[in-house]
Amino acid sequence: MRIESVTAHAFGPLHDRSLPLAPGLTVVAGMNESAKSSWHAAIRAALCGEPSARHRPWRGTAWRVEALMSLESGEVIAVDRDFNDDTEPDVSRRVGLDRASFAATACVDQAQLLTVLDAANGMQNHLRRAAATAGTDGTVEQALQRLTAPVDELRDARNRLREAETDLTVARREHTRYQELSAQARFASAARARLAVQEHAESMKGLTARVGRLTELKTRFGDSPPSGLAAQEELTHVVNRALAAWRAAPNPRALAGPTAAALQGELEALPSVPVGETTLDEELRVVASAYATASAVAAAHDERRPSPPTKAEPSVLRGLATRLDPAAGGRLTTASIEVDTARQHQDHAAADAARTQVEADVAAARVQEIAVPNPFLRNALLALSCLTSLVGLLLFLTGQHLAAIGVVVAALVAGVGGAMSRGNSTHREAAVTFAAERAAAATESRARLFTADRTLAEAEGQRAVALEAVRIHDEAVAGCASLRVPADRETLWRLANRPAWEAEHADLVCEVARTEKAVRVELAARGKVDATMSVPDLLVDYETDCKVRARQASMAAQRPLLAQALADRRLAEAAVTEAGAARARAFTLLREAVTAIGGTGERPEDLLRAIAEWQRGWDRLLREAEDERNAWAELQTLQANGTLDDLETTLSAAQTHHATLVEAALRYATVPPADPDLAPSADTLTATAAELARTLPSVPDAEEAVAAATAALAEITAEVEAIDLASRYLTAAREKVHSTIAPALEDTLRTWLPTITEGRYVDAAVDPATLTVRVRTAAESWHQASRLSLGTAEQIYLLLRVALAQHLATESCPLLLDDVTVQADDTRTHAVLDLLLQLSADRQIVLFAQDTSVAEWAREKLGERDVLHQLTQVAA
């Protein structure tokens, strides 16, 4: 978050004054009674509200501050707080804080710095307050003590549920066991019946096959054995030997690539190994890289040479750069347009207020002109008319007609008078209503006129601020023109820093000369000396020589590979010659075998075809003879186990028994197929299932008991979970303070502490339980921060406040600091200011100071993102 500007319409001694703030570091300097603390309090009140009563305006009853802020998301927030009736929200919540945590971290005033001395643990109290107010209003321990879970009830409910579930499990297990035993018993009986059918069917199938085979062989052979074939074993051996030799003979392959003679010529043409370096030496590469880097840096630095030359003092140039504001003219134009627009609105509002006031006055005068009716007279006349009418009616009934007529005439006169006394009442009510409407319109017009007047005053105040900025800018431009320098901030800063640039450039030129000398020395050591050539040319020439020698060495390194390739080629050519001779011998044997079996042919394909045709005919005769011998042996074996009539009688008896077994198996037709291994245990399983059925527990009763126990446990568990969840959240909040804030403070102090204490204190530690701060000196001794000097304690306290603001805020939070260097010496003051300038790179910092050294430091060090405001004493 960034605060763009703050306007104090009525706050302490400030009336209709604006203070623009820079995005980086804003230094507000001034002597005593220049309203520094009032501006500090006004900025804090604009963000958080609830200002102190001592900041009430010195005159008047209005108490109002206005501020314009922008968030990192680009959202712009305008706050206008009337502290007599403040309804604006707490802006610090937009960065993850609230009023209390913002005051305890990001806002530091003189009163809070002095509280460090009030007690020995003052610093720890501040840290605990910052950590606690960022989370809750009460303590975590108090909330945790009030959260007590019903442990006994939960344990009893779980025990009851466990017992009920155990009973249900036992009931279901016994019921399932009974069903499984019953099913297994039926499966076992079915398996036993089916297994008997299958086993007998297999035996019948074998018996039937034996009868059929015996009948077939008896018909085929009768009582005569088969005759054999003449053997031609020698011819078969000749053919087989020739085929084996042909299949084993290798097939000569065609060699690819260069011949042995060509490889011998390449080997003789290779060069010898060169003498000298083949790659750029690492030491030379390092010094050459240093020379190239130094040359590039010097050239780049020369391009940034400050120009044009001027004799003006650096402090004058920095002051001009600080006062230049090119955007001031645009802001003045915008402010002037806003003033004109506000004046037009004010004129319209004034005319409308005058017109409505005149209308309200005319309506009020009209109400005064209309007489107010007398309700008592009207009521009396009407009552008299009614009474006289009654008297006239009585007289008429008694026969006194003349007297009755007179009384009736008097009643009419009284009634007409009462009615006429009511005549102007309607007109007066309408006039009163119209006058009230005009009076309300006049009040609303006056309110609009008041708003328009306030808007016009604010716009004129903004225009005055913009006009002052334009005047300062014009004076700075005139000063630049008198010094004959461009009115540009960046150019002025460079001109102010010209001596530093010249010193740095001289150092860079010396570095170039040193590295150039080092490169020439390395090249001379390698025999490369030429004073007429530049260092880059010498390096290129040397690197070319290295590449030529590397190419020659690479070619010479191929000699062992070519020698091995030549030896391999000679072995391959010898193997091809030997394979050709073996192939020729196998072809001769193949041709002799074909001639022996009566075939002919000259090519290997023709010879192999002739042998295959001969083998097919010979193999068929051999297979037929073998089948005859096997069938006769099978017939003799079958007749040894009984005659054909005996086998047919046995088969008829087996068929009758098989029909009985099939009838028994049909009783289990509805039972699915079962494991045959269950058949032996059928009787045992049936008896066990019958015994278990007499002692089965009730499953529905057990399920009802489990449902009741589950409902009771769910009710108690929900209560326990709610209490446990609340305890975890509260414990996590407490642990976050210990485990997150303390390490963040330690890391911040370790980074910044040596800088602001000139290296006297180099380390810091924070107790995660009590947030006690200790610092360590360079001599390895630890000290409590609260026991150090007042200035050192305040500096450590400032660092802690900055770290807390950085850790607790969800986005960049501005820091408001009032006289935080008042107890520091000049050296530490400059160290603190340099650190604040460094921190302002990623957050907005507003620093109020009365020390003149702070203002002098600001004029010298502040940049484009920073600004210095000089305040004067306010009127008494």
Side-chain angles (χ1 to χ4, degrees):
M1 182 177 69
R2 173 188 170 189
I3 307 172
E4 302 290 344
S5 63
V6 177
T7 301
H9 295 284
F11 194 89
L14 303 174
H15 287 274
D16 295 330
R17 294 181 62 180
S18 296
L19 183 66
L21 303 179
L25 176 60
T26 300
V27 178
V28 182
M31 61 183 66
N32 291 334
E33 297 187 358
S34 58
K36 296 189 305 299
S37 298
S38 297
W39 274 117
H40 180 272
I43 297 174
R44 172 185 170 183
L47 268 66
C48 305
E50 299 181 356
S52 174
R54 69 188 185 89
H55 292 295
R56 283 190 172 276
W58 288 9
R59 60 179 184 272
T61 59
W63 192 10
R64 187 165 67 92
V65 172
E66 185 178 0
L68 184 65
M69 288 153 285
S70 59
L71 300 179
E72 292 181 357
S73 61
E75 180 183 359
V76 177
I77 303 176
V79 178
D80 189 357
R81 292 189 184 276
D82 184 358
F83 298 114
N84 292 322
D85 184 17
D86 186 8
T87 60
E88 292 288 339
D90 182 7
V91 181
S92 63
R93 292 188 179 276
R94 304 299 293 270
V95 296
L97 303 174
D98 56 14
R99 289 185 173 95
S101 59
F102 181 86
T105 55
C107 184
V108 179
D109 57 26
Q110 293 174 339
Q112 286 181 325
L113 285 175
L114 293 177
T115 55
V116 176
L117 304 177
D118 293 343
N121 62 345
M123 190 177 301
Q124 288 77 4
N125 290 336
H126 279 288
L127 292 175
R128 295 192 192 98
R129 186 182 307 111
T133 54
T136 58
D137 293 332
T139 64
V140 174
E141 287 75 13
Q142 293 174 352
L144 289 173
Q145 291 174 359
R146 291 194 291 267
L147 295 176
T148 303
V151 179
D152 296 337
E153 293 83 349
L154 180 61
R155 183 179 61 254
D156 295 341
R158 286 176 178 171
N159 293 336
R160 288 192 297 270
L161 177 59
R162 191 178 299 110
E163 293 174 358
E165 289 176 345
T166 302
D167 295 340
L168 178 59
T169 301
V170 171
R172 287 176 175 173
R173 184 175 64 247
E174 293 298 320
H175 189 72
T176 302
R177 181 186 172 196
Y178 167 74
Q179 291 178 341
E180 291 175 353
L181 284 174
S182 299
Q184 287 180 359
R186 186 166 178 79
F187 286 160
S189 299
R192 182 173 59 183
R194 291 168 182 169
L195 183 61
V197 172
Q198 292 176 0
E199 291 176 350
H200 195 267
E202 290 294 331
S203 64
M204 281 185 57
K205 183 177 179 181
L207 186 60
T208 302
R210 287 173 58 192
V211 171
R213 183 61 175 167
L214 182 58
T215 304
E216 178 185 355
L217 293 177
K218 195 68 174 174
T219 303
R220 179 178 177 182
F221 293 106
D223 296 328
S224 301
S227 61
L229 295 176
Q232 299 181 4
E233 297 295 336
E234 185 65 27
L235 186 58
T236 303
H237 291 326
V238 171
V239 172
N240 291 337
R241 185 169 59 252
L243 288 175
W246 177 258
R247 294 190 183 104
N251 191 13
R253 60 186 180 90
L255 295 178
T259 63
L263 292 174
Q264 181 67 32
E266 292 181 10
L267 185 62
E268 294 174 354
L270 289 177
S272 60
V273 178
V275 178
E277 296 180 347
T278 58
T279 59
L280 192 63
D281 186 76
E282 185 62 27
E283 295 181 0
L284 180 57
R285 188 187 304 276
V286 171
V287 296
S289 176
Y291 168 74
T293 302
S295 300
V297 171
H301 190 265
D302 187 65
E303 293 178 357
R304 298 194 299 272
R305 182 184 299 273
S307 62
T310 181
K311 297 182 179 179
E313 293 294 330
S315 59
V316 175
L317 296 174
R318 294 189 185 96
L320 291 175
T322 304
R323 293 193 296 274
L324 283 176
D325 188 3
R331 293 199 299 272
L332 178 59
T333 302
T334 302
S336 300
I337 294 173
E338 292 179 353
V339 168
D340 295 339
T341 303
R343 183 172 286 110
Q344 291 178 2
H345 288 320
Q346 194 259 3
D347 293 341
H348 290 308
D352 185 60
R355 179 178 57 78
T356 54
Q357 186 62 44
V358 170
E359 292 177 354
D361 294 341
V362 171
R366 175 59 180 165
V367 171
Q368 296 297 329
E369 293 175 356
I370 301 175
V372 180
N374 191 344
F376 300 103
L377 177 60
R378 178 174 59 83
N379 295 335
L381 291 175
L382 292 176
L384 179 61
S385 175
C386 294
L387 181 60
T388 52
S389 297
L390 181 60
V391 172
L393 179 60
L394 293 174
L395 292 175
F396 185 79
L397 293 176
T398 55
Q400 300 178 9
H401 299 289
L402 292 177
I405 293 172
V407 172
V408 170
V409 171
L412 291 174
V413 172
V416 171
M420 292 181 65
S421 64
R422 175 66 178 170
N424 61 350
S425 176
T426 304
H427 297 289
R428 182 175 178 80
E429 290 178 356
V432 169
T433 302
F434 180 74
E437 293 176 354
R438 291 297 87 198
T443 301
E444 184 178 357
S445 298
R446 287 195 300 273
R448 287 195 295 269
L449 177 59
F450 176 77
T451 302
D453 291 340
R454 183 177 63 182
T455 303
L456 178 59
E458 294 173 355
E460 288 176 347
Q462 294 296 331
R463 184 176 63 179
V465 173
L467 186 60
E468 179 65 15
V470 169
R471 184 188 64 78
I472 295 173
H473 175 72
D474 292 342
E475 289 179 355
V477 171
C480 293
S482 64
L483 296 175
R484 296 182 180 180
V485 293
D488 180 70
R489 284 185 173 182
E490 184 175 356
T491 302
L492 292 174
W493 281 111
R494 285 203 301 269
L495 290 175
N497 295 327
R498 182 180 181 87
W501 180 90
E502 292 176 349
E504 184 177 359
H505 190 70
D507 293 339
L508 293 177
V509 171
C510 292
E511 180 64 18
V512 171
R514 186 190 65 78
T515 54
E516 179 180 0
K517 182 178 179 181
V519 173
R520 289 187 180 273
V521 169
E522 292 292 336
L523 289 173
R526 291 160 177 80
K528 204 68 177 178
V529 180
D530 190 348
T532 61
M533 295 180 65
S534 64
V535 170
D537 294 338
L538 280 174
L539 287 172
V540 171
D541 195 12
Y542 172 73
E543 189 172 359
T544 302
D545 294 343
C546 291
K547 290 180 179 178
V548 172
R549 288 191 292 270
R551 175 61 178 169
Q552 185 177 353
S554 176
M555 295 175 64
Q558 296 179 2
R559 182 176 297 275
L561 297 177
L562 282 176
Q564 183 64 37
L566 177 59
D568 294 342
R569 180 68 183 193
R570 287 173 177 172
L571 291 176
E573 290 178 353
V576 169
T577 302
E578 183 180 355
R583 189 76 172 177
R585 291 192 299 270
F587 180 74
T588 301
L589 292 176
L590 192 64
R591 186 163 51 185
E592 291 176 354
V594 171
T595 301
I597 64 176
T600 60
E602 293 298 331
R603 298 183 304 169
E605 297 84 4
D606 299 335
L607 298 176
L608 292 173
R609 190 180 302 109
I611 291 175
E613 292 177 356
W614 178 81
Q615 284 180 334
R616 283 195 294 271
W618 179 248
D619 290 341
R620 183 175 63 256
L621 295 176
L622 290 177
R623 285 194 300 272
E624 290 176 357
E626 184 67 21
D627 290 342
E628 290 291 331
R629 286 195 299 269
N630 293 335
W632 175 255
E634 183 181 0
L635 175 62
Q636 298 306 313
T637 301
L638 291 175
Q639 287 180 345
N641 295 327
T643 63
L644 181 61
D645 294 336
D646 296 337
L647 290 177
E648 290 178 348
T649 302
T650 304
L651 178 61
S652 178
Q655 290 175 346
T656 303
H657 181 63
H658 185 72
T660 304
L661 295 177
V662 170
E663 183 179 357
L666 288 177
R667 292 197 297 269
Y668 301 99
T670 59
V671 179
D675 187 0
D677 294 338
L678 295 175
S681 60
D683 296 336
T684 303
L685 291 174
T686 301
T688 303
E691 180 64 23
L692 184 60
R694 291 193 295 270
T695 60
L696 281 178
S698 175
V699 175
D701 295 343
E703 290 176 346
E704 291 179 0
V706 169
T710 301
L713 178 60
E715 182 178 356
I716 298 177
T717 301
E719 180 182 356
V720 172
E721 288 177 351
I723 295 174
D724 182 62
L725 181 61
S727 300
R728 287 202 304 272
Y729 275 112
L730 292 174
T731 304
R734 180 181 60 188
E735 294 296 330
K736 184 177 181 181
V737 173
H738 292 167
S739 63
T740 304
I741 295 181
L745 295 180
E746 291 180 352
D747 293 340
T748 302
L749 288 177
R750 291 191 188 102
T751 304
W752 298 336
L753 189 59
T755 301
I756 68 167
T757 62
E758 302 177 271
R760 180 176 177 84
Y761 300 103
V762 297
D763 198 1
V766 179
D767 188 345
T770 63
L771 294 179
T772 301
V773 181
R774 295 185 301 138
V775 294
R776 181 173 64 84
T777 65
E780 301 293 329
S781 60
W782 289 88
H783 303 279
Q784 287 192 9
S786 59
R787 297 179 181 177
L788 301 177
S789 66
L790 176 60
T792 303
E794 288 187 350
Q795 292 154 15
I796 297 174
Y797 175 67
L798 174 61
L799 294 183
L800 292 174
R801 298 287 287 271
V802 174
L804 280 171
Q806 180 178 350
H807 182 72
L808 296 178
T810 57
E811 72 174 52
S812 178
C813 177
L815 300 179
L816 309 179
L817 311 177
D818 188 8
D819 269 344
V820 294
T821 62
V822 68
Q823 298 295 339
D825 55 23
D826 292 342
T827 301
R828 290 198 178 182
T829 296
H830 289 168
V832 172
L833 294 176
D834 290 339
L835 178 59
L836 293 178
L837 182 59
Q838 178 184 352
L839 294 176
S840 66
D842 58 356
R843 67 178 61 249
Q844 187 182 40
I845 299 178
V846 183
L847 174 64
F848 296 87
Q850 66 177 357
D851 194 350
T852 56
S853 63
V854 176
E856 293 175 358
W857 173 90
R859 294 190 189 94
E860 181 181 357
K861 293 295 185 67
L862 295 186
E864 296 181 357
R865 299 181 67 255
D866 314 312
V867 69
L868 170 64
H869 292 299
Q870 287 281 4
L871 301 181
T872 59
Q873 287 185 332
V874 297

